[in-house]
PDB file of all heavy atoms in Angstrom:
ATOM      1  N   MET A   5     133.653-186.654-124.306  1.00 59.00           N
ATOM      2  CA  MET A   5     132.745-187.130-123.229  1.00 59.00           C
ATOM      3  C   MET A   5     131.347-187.216-123.803  1.00 59.00           C
ATOM      4  O   MET A   5     130.900-186.322-124.502  1.00 59.00           O
ATOM      5  CB  MET A   5     132.905-186.197-122.035  1.00 59.00           C
ATOM      6  CG  MET A   5     132.051-186.587-120.979  1.00 59.00           C
ATOM      7  SD  MET A   5     132.146-185.568-119.411  1.00 59.00           S
ATOM      8  CE  MET A   5     133.955-185.739-119.033  1.00 59.00           C
ATOM      9  N   THR A   6     130.684-188.259-123.423  1.00 88.00           N
ATOM     10  CA  THR A   6     129.254-188.463-123.864  1.00 88.00           C
ATOM     11  C   THR A   6     128.383-188.706-122.681  1.00 88.00           C
ATOM     12  O   THR A   6     127.652-189.649-122.552  1.00 88.00           O
ATOM     13  CB  THR A   6     129.229-189.617-124.896  1.00 88.00           C
ATOM     14  OG1 THR A   6     129.770-190.793-124.245  1.00 88.00           O
ATOM     15  CG2 THR A   6     129.908-189.331-126.120  1.00 88.00           C
ATOM     16  N   ILE A   7     128.476-187.851-121.735  1.00 97.00           N
ATOM     17  CA  ILE A   7     127.602-187.825-120.592  1.00 97.00           C
ATOM     18  C   ILE A   7     126.319-187.054-120.954  1.00 97.00           C
ATOM     19  O   ILE A   7     126.385-185.901-121.317  1.00 97.00           O
ATOM     20  CB  ILE A   7     128.247-187.176-119.299  1.00 97.00           C
ATOM     21  CG1 ILE A   7     129.531-188.071-118.950  1.00 97.00           C
ATOM     22  CG2 ILE A   7     127.283-187.255-118.193  1.00 97.00           C
ATOM     23  CD1 ILE A   7     129.293-189.504-118.592  1.00 97.00           C
ATOM     24  N   LEU A   8     125.167-187.744-120.769  1.00 97.00           N
ATOM     25  CA  LEU A   8     123.849-187.072-121.136  1.00 97.00           C
ATOM     26  C   LEU A   8     123.095-186.912-119.813  1.00 97.00           C
ATOM     27  O   LEU A   8     123.148-187.717-118.930  1.00 97.00           O
ATOM     28  CB  LEU A   8     123.170-187.930-122.034  1.00 97.00           C
ATOM     29  CG  LEU A   8     123.867-188.410-123.287  1.00 97.00           C
ATOM     30  CD1 LEU A   8     123.005-189.442-124.107  1.00 97.00           C
ATOM     31  CD2 LEU A   8     124.183-187.298-124.177  1.00 97.00           C
ATOM     32  N   VAL A  25     123.412-190.340-117.764  1.00 95.00           N
ATOM     33  CA  VAL A  25     123.874-191.618-118.437  1.00 95.00           C
ATOM     34  C   VAL A  25     125.128-191.266-119.222  1.00 95.00           C
ATOM     35  O   VAL A  25     125.463-190.091-119.515  1.00 95.00           O
ATOM     36  CB  VAL A  25     122.794-192.197-119.294  1.00 95.00           C
ATOM     37  CG1 VAL A  25     121.565-192.479-118.583  1.00 95.00           C
ATOM     38  CG2 VAL A  25     122.570-191.388-120.535  1.00 95.00           C
ATOM     39  N   SER A  26     125.813-192.332-119.653  1.00 94.00           N
ATOM     40  CA  SER A  26     126.802-192.271-120.736  1.00 94.00           C
ATOM     41  C   SER A  26     126.353-193.165-121.899  1.00 94.00           C
ATOM     42  O   SER A  26     125.828-194.282-121.613  1.00 94.00           O
ATOM     43  CB  SER A  26     128.134-192.739-120.191  1.00 94.00           C
ATOM     44  OG  SER A  26     129.047-192.946-121.248  1.00 94.00           O
ATOM     45  N   ASP A  27     126.593-192.678-123.090  1.00 89.00           N
ATOM     46  CA  ASP A  27     126.251-193.555-124.245  1.00 89.00           C
ATOM     47  C   ASP A  27     127.613-194.177-124.774  1.00 89.00           C
ATOM     48  O   ASP A  27     127.602-194.751-125.877  1.00 89.00           O
ATOM     49  CB  ASP A  27     125.472-192.906-125.275  1.00 89.00           C
ATOM     50  CG  ASP A  27     126.269-191.795-125.957  1.00 89.00           C
ATOM     51  OD1 ASP A  27     127.395-191.497-125.697  1.00 89.00           O
ATOM     52  OD2 ASP A  27     125.670-191.157-126.968  1.00 89.00           O
ATOM     53  N   ALA A  28     128.634-194.189-123.922  1.00 90.00           N
ATOM     54  CA  ALA A  28     129.943-194.823-124.274  1.00 90.00           C
ATOM     55  C   ALA A  28     130.245-195.945-123.332  1.00 90.00           C
ATOM     56  O   ALA A  28     130.641-197.077-123.842  1.00 90.00           O
ATOM     57  CB  ALA A  28     131.028-193.755-124.306  1.00 90.00           C
ATOM     58  N   SER A  29     130.175-195.740-122.049  1.00 93.00           N
ATOM     59  CA  SER A  29     130.551-196.739-121.142  1.00 93.00           C
ATOM     60  C   SER A  29     130.157-196.498-119.676  1.00 93.00           C
ATOM     61  O   SER A  29     130.020-195.322-119.301  1.00 93.00           O
ATOM     62  CB  SER A  29     132.140-197.061-121.157  1.00 93.00           C
ATOM     63  OG  SER A  29     132.760-196.042-120.502  1.00 93.00           O
ATOM     64  N   TYR A  30     129.938-197.473-118.907  1.00 93.00           N
ATOM     65  CA  TYR A  30     129.731-197.281-117.555  1.00 93.00           C
ATOM     66  C   TYR A  30     130.813-196.794-116.779  1.00 93.00           C
ATOM     67  O   TYR A  30     130.755-195.962-115.776  1.00 93.00           O
ATOM     68  CB  TYR A  30     129.239-198.654-116.854  1.00 93.00           C
ATOM     69  CG  TYR A  30     127.947-199.143-117.351  1.00 93.00           C
ATOM     70  CD1 TYR A  30     127.839-200.536-117.703  1.00 93.00           C
ATOM     71  CD2 TYR A  30     126.756-198.426-117.347  1.00 93.00           C
ATOM     72  CE1 TYR A  30     126.634-200.984-118.159  1.00 93.00           C
ATOM     73  CE2 TYR A  30     125.609-198.938-117.822  1.00 93.00           C
ATOM     74  CZ  TYR A  30     125.540-200.168-118.193  1.00 93.00           C
ATOM     75  OH  TYR A  30     124.347-200.737-118.686  1.00 93.00           O
ATOM     76  N   ASP A  31     132.121-197.112-117.178  1.00 95.00           N
ATOM     77  CA  ASP A  31     133.348-196.541-116.608  1.00 95.00           C
ATOM     78  C   ASP A  31     133.348-195.050-116.698  1.00 95.00           C
ATOM     79  O   ASP A  31     133.614-194.353-115.717  1.00 95.00           O
ATOM     80  CB  ASP A  31     134.551-197.141-117.205  1.00 95.00           C
ATOM     81  CG  ASP A  31     134.805-198.529-116.820  1.00 95.00           C
ATOM     82  OD1 ASP A  31     134.185-199.071-115.832  1.00 95.00           O
ATOM     83  OD2 ASP A  31     135.522-199.273-117.547  1.00 95.00           O
ATOM     84  N   GLU A  32     132.951-194.564-117.918  1.00 96.00           N
ATOM     85  CA  GLU A  32     132.894-193.081-118.112  1.00 96.00           C
ATOM     86  C   GLU A  32     131.859-192.483-117.181  1.00 96.00           C
ATOM     87  O   GLU A  32     132.059-191.448-116.548  1.00 96.00           O
ATOM     88  CB  GLU A  32     132.623-192.725-119.530  1.00 96.00           C
ATOM     89  CG  GLU A  32     132.521-191.298-119.816  1.00 96.00           C
ATOM     90  CD  GLU A  32     132.015-190.948-121.248  1.00 96.00           C
ATOM     91  OE1 GLU A  32     131.040-191.444-121.709  1.00 96.00           O
ATOM     92  OE2 GLU A  32     132.842-190.190-121.891  1.00 96.00           O
ATOM     93  N   LEU A  33     130.672-193.115-117.101  1.00 96.00           N
ATOM     94  CA  LEU A  33     129.643-192.593-116.223  1.00 96.00           C
ATOM     95  C   LEU A  33     129.995-192.548-114.789  1.00 96.00           C
ATOM     96  O   LEU A  33     129.817-191.547-114.104  1.00 96.00           O
ATOM     97  CB  LEU A  33     128.352-193.418-116.447  1.00 96.00           C
ATOM     98  CG  LEU A  33     127.116-193.093-115.580  1.00 96.00           C
ATOM     99  CD1 LEU A  33     126.701-191.664-115.802  1.00 96.00           C
ATOM    100  CD2 LEU A  33     126.022-194.103-115.843  1.00 96.00           C
ATOM    101  N   ASP A  50     121.673-198.533-115.029  1.00 85.00           N
ATOM    102  CA  ASP A  50     122.216-198.030-116.309  1.00 85.00           C
ATOM    103  C   ASP A  50     122.319-196.414-116.282  1.00 85.00           C
ATOM    104  O   ASP A  50     122.691-195.781-117.189  1.00 85.00           O
ATOM    105  CB  ASP A  50     121.467-198.451-117.539  1.00 85.00           C
ATOM    106  CG  ASP A  50     120.067-198.073-117.605  1.00 85.00           C
ATOM    107  OD1 ASP A  50     119.602-197.342-116.577  1.00 85.00           O
ATOM    108  OD2 ASP A  50     119.284-198.530-118.463  1.00 85.00           O
ATOM    109  N   ARG A  78     119.397-192.849-127.188  1.00 89.00           N
ATOM    110  CA  ARG A  78     120.881-192.922-127.290  1.00 89.00           C
ATOM    111  C   ARG A  78     121.390-193.975-126.428  1.00 89.00           C
ATOM    112  O   ARG A  78     122.361-194.756-126.755  1.00 89.00           O
ATOM    113  CB  ARG A  78     121.476-191.535-126.993  1.00 89.00           C
ATOM    114  CG  ARG A  78     121.211-190.568-128.146  1.00 89.00           C
ATOM    115  CD  ARG A  78     121.684-189.204-127.872  1.00 89.00           C
ATOM    116  NE  ARG A  78     123.044-189.024-127.765  1.00 89.00           N
ATOM    117  CZ  ARG A  78     123.696-187.844-127.675  1.00 89.00           C
ATOM    118  NH1 ARG A  78     122.983-186.771-127.590  1.00 89.00           N
ATOM    119  NH2 ARG A  78     125.038-187.828-127.607  1.00 89.00           N
ATOM    120  N   LEU A  79     120.832-194.224-125.259  1.00 86.00           N
ATOM    121  CA  LEU A  79     121.210-195.260-124.292  1.00 86.00           C
ATOM    122  C   LEU A  79     120.930-196.608-124.974  1.00 86.00           C
ATOM    123  O   LEU A  79     121.721-197.532-124.933  1.00 86.00           O
ATOM    124  CB  LEU A  79     120.529-195.084-122.947  1.00 86.00           C
ATOM    125  CG  LEU A  79     121.083-195.981-121.820  1.00 86.00           C
ATOM    126  CD1 LEU A  79     122.531-195.733-121.569  1.00 86.00           C
ATOM    127  CD2 LEU A  79     120.187-195.707-120.611  1.00 86.00           C
ATOM    128  N   ARG A  81     120.714-197.342-128.226  1.00 86.00           N
ATOM    129  CA  ARG A  81     121.574-197.474-129.327  1.00 86.00           C
ATOM    130  C   ARG A  81     122.918-197.871-128.907  1.00 86.00           C
ATOM    131  O   ARG A  81     123.742-198.571-129.550  1.00 86.00           O
ATOM    132  CB  ARG A  81     121.649-196.346-130.243  1.00 86.00           C
ATOM    133  CG  ARG A  81     120.462-196.132-131.148  1.00 86.00           C
ATOM    134  CD  ARG A  81     120.712-195.115-132.221  1.00 86.00           C
ATOM    135  NE  ARG A  81     121.099-193.801-131.774  1.00 86.00           N
ATOM    136  CZ  ARG A  81     120.245-192.766-131.575  1.00 86.00           C
ATOM    137  NH1 ARG A  81     118.979-192.927-131.925  1.00 86.00           N
ATOM    138  NH2 ARG A  81     120.674-191.642-131.126  1.00 86.00           N
ATOM    139  N   SER A  82     123.395-197.406-127.668  1.00 83.00           N
ATOM    140  CA  SER A  82     124.742-197.679-127.235  1.00 83.00           C
ATOM    141  C   SER A  82     124.899-199.223-126.684  1.00 83.00           C
ATOM    142  O   SER A  82     125.984-199.588-126.599  1.00 83.00           O
ATOM    143  CB  SER A  82     125.100-196.776-126.041  1.00 83.00           C
ATOM    144  OG  SER A  82     124.361-197.118-124.884  1.00 83.00           O
ATOM    145  N   GLY A  83     123.790-199.864-126.507  1.00 72.00           N
ATOM    146  CA  GLY A  83     123.826-201.184-125.925  1.00 72.00           C
ATOM    147  C   GLY A  83     123.905-201.213-124.419  1.00 72.00           C
ATOM    148  O   GLY A  83     124.024-202.253-123.805  1.00 72.00           O
ATOM    149  N   LEU A  84     123.882-200.055-123.779  1.00 72.00           N
ATOM    150  CA  LEU A  84     124.059-199.972-122.345  1.00 72.00           C
ATOM    151  C   LEU A  84     122.763-199.875-121.579  1.00 72.00           C
ATOM    152  O   LEU A  84     122.746-199.982-120.296  1.00 72.00           O
ATOM    153  CB  LEU A  84     124.920-198.680-121.986  1.00 72.00           C
ATOM    154  CG  LEU A  84     126.296-198.668-122.462  1.00 72.00           C
ATOM    155  CD1 LEU A  84     127.043-197.357-122.098  1.00 72.00           C
ATOM    156  CD2 LEU A  84     127.137-199.894-121.888  1.00 72.00           C
ATOM    157  N   ARG A  85     121.665-199.846-122.297  1.00 76.00           N
ATOM    158  CA  ARG A  85     120.305-199.716-121.663  1.00 76.00           C
ATOM    159  C   ARG A  85     120.019-201.067-120.914  1.00 76.00           C
ATOM    160  O   ARG A  85     120.197-202.111-121.544  1.00 76.00           O
ATOM    161  CB  ARG A  85     119.317-199.414-122.604  1.00 76.00           C
ATOM    162  CG  ARG A  85     117.919-199.387-122.017  1.00 76.00           C
ATOM    163  CD  ARG A  85     117.199-198.046-122.420  1.00 76.00           C
ATOM    164  NE  ARG A  85     115.778-197.976-122.034  1.00 76.00           N
ATOM    165  CZ  ARG A  85     115.414-197.475-120.890  1.00 76.00           C
ATOM    166  NH1 ARG A  85     116.265-196.967-120.002  1.00 76.00           N
ATOM    167  NH2 ARG A  85     114.115-197.300-120.648  1.00 76.00           N
TER     168      ARG A  85
END
Side-chain angles (χ1 to χ4, degrees):
M5 183 177 296
T6 55
I7 300 297
L8 310 170
V25 306
S26 168
D27 66 359
S29 73
Y30 293 130
D31 288 341
E32 178 184 56
L33 177 59
D50 58 8
R78 289 174 67 176
L79 190 58
R81 280 194 305 262
S82 74
L84 297 173
R85 179 128 171 93

